[in-house]
Amino acid sequence: MALPPADALCLDERGLKYTIQVEANMTCIVIKDYVVPTGYNRPMADLLLRLNPGFPDVPPDMWWFSPSLLLANGRTVKATEHSEVHLGRQWQRWSRHLPQGQWRSGTDSLESFLALIHEELERCCRNPT
């Protein structure tokens, strides 16, 4: 499945290395060597995004990292304790859900979802509980 042109352009303009596959009717985007903010146990990890068939009108839900991310002090980030297998790999699930109305159909996109992920990664370093 192809991404909406604006979403593909977003990934390409950022110079991200990514693959797209379909698994269980979900569009799976794996961003290779996604750079995480300082404060984690590694500087980068692969990021998995699983998009529903109705994306971008249907909001995305959660994201996954492989290998798993811990805080630099070795502590686990809340709601990241579970692992799942997708695309034949083990992934750390970041269980995050958008509040009702936060996702704006027709306005939000992969770019805004990536911004949200980055903001959440930074927030977890500042306030790990």
Side-chain angles (χ1 to χ4, degrees):
M1 173 180 189
L3 291 175
D7 291 330
L9 184 62
C10 164
L11 295 173
D12 293 339
E13 284 181 341
R14 291 174 180 222
L16 298 173
K17 298 176 282 184
Y18 66 95
T19 60
I20 301 172
Q21 298 177 55
V22 175
E23 178 185 66
N25 205 32
M26 302 284 278
T27 300
C28 299
I29 303 168
V30 175
I31 300 175
K32 182 80 172 146
D33 298 330
Y34 179 86
V35 176
V36 298
T38 301
Y40 288 93
N41 63 326
R42 63 185 81 257
M44 61 186 66
D46 290 353
L47 170 63
L48 169 64
L49 309 175
R50 300 182 77 230
L51 306 177
N52 289 302
F55 181 85
D57 294 324
V58 174
D61 187 45
M62 300 190 285
W63 56 85
W64 296 258
F65 280 106
S66 179
S68 298
L69 296 178
L70 299 171
L71 295 174
N73 64 9
R75 293 182 59 193
T76 302
V77 177
K78 184 178 179 181
T80 66
E81 302 87 357
H82 295 287
S83 294
E84 298 177 352
V85 175
H86 298 289
L87 305 173
R89 289 175 64 179
Q90 192 80 22
W91 296 88
Q92 175 194 39
R93 183 182 73 194
W94 282 62
S95 184
R96 305 297 192 268
H97 312 284
L98 300 178
Q100 183 70 27
Q102 181 176 353
W103 188 262
R104 301 159 298 167
S105 178
T107 301
D108 282 313
S109 64
L110 196 55
E111 183 171 14
S112 54
F113 190 51
L114 287 171
L116 183 143
I117 291 169
H118 185 78
E119 289 169 14
E120 180 64 5
L121 288 168
E122 287 186 334
R123 186 195 68 76
C124 289
C125 284
R126 289 189 311 270
N127 182 17
T129 57

